[in-house]
């Protein structure tokens, strides 16, 4: 049995600004069964609107992330640019990666499981 923590990357790409919350709820369900798992949620498409500071999704996500410290949420810089969102507009809870697709592939190369939301 491996002594390294297991990891999963959740892809939250699409039109709904609530995709981040949907992914976080799925992550919470997964963590009940596998609590030692490290999870990263990669948000792209129009879903990045939900990460703007003060947005109801961003507020709820911050609460859920507080309950699951092994889970992080990152936004796709390409999606932010496409939707004319400045990175400084995001809630402090989130970070940014250059390209969602590259991040997901890199995680898979490193052995992370992929969950598509």
């Amino acid at each position: 049995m491996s002594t390294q923590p297991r990891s999963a990357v959740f892809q939250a790409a699409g039109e709904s600004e609530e995709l981040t919350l949907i992914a976080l709820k799925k992550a919470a369900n997964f963590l009940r069964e596998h609590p030692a798992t490290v999870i990263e949620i990669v948000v792209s498409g129009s879903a990045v609107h939900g990460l703007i500071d003060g947005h109801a999704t961003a507020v709820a996500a911050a609460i859920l992330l507080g309950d699951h410290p092994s889970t992080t949420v990152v936004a796709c810089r390409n999606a932010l640019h496409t939707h004319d969102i400045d990175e400084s507009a995001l809630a402090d809870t989130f970070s940014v990666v250059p390209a969602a697709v590259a991040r997901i592939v890199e995680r898979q190369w490193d052995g992370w499981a992929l969950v598509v939301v």
Side-chain angles (χ1 to χ4, degrees):
M1 180 130 193
S2 173
T3 58
Q4 290 192 326
R6 293 189 180 196
S7 306
V9 58
F10 284 52
Q11 179 182 14
E15 300 302 313
S16 174
E17 295 176 5
E18 296 180 356
L19 273 177
T20 303
L21 286 180
I22 294 167
L24 280 166
K25 289 175 183 175
K26 289 182 182 296
N29 287 339
F30 182 82
L31 288 168
R32 278 196 272 292
E33 297 297 320
H34 302 279
T37 305
V38 173
I39 295 177
E40 181 175 77
I41 298 169
V42 181
V43 182
S44 62
S46 295
V48 295
H49 286 279
L51 304 180
I52 295 173
D53 193 25
H55 191 286
T57 295
V59 172
I63 293 167
L64 288 172
L65 286 168
D67 293 338
H68 302 287
S70 67
T71 302
T72 57
V73 175
V74 299
C76 172
R77 181 172 289 129
N78 290 334
L80 294 173
H81 289 171
T82 296
H83 295 280
D84 296 318
I85 299 171
D86 190 273
E87 292 179 32
S88 65
L90 298 183
D92 292 338
T93 310
F94 313 117
S95 58
V96 177
V97 296
V101 67
R103 181 61 160 224
I104 291 165
V105 170
E106 290 162 358
R107 291 300 196 199
Q108 288 184 288
W109 285 342
D110 290 338
W112 290 47
L114 172 63
V115 178
V116 178
V117 178

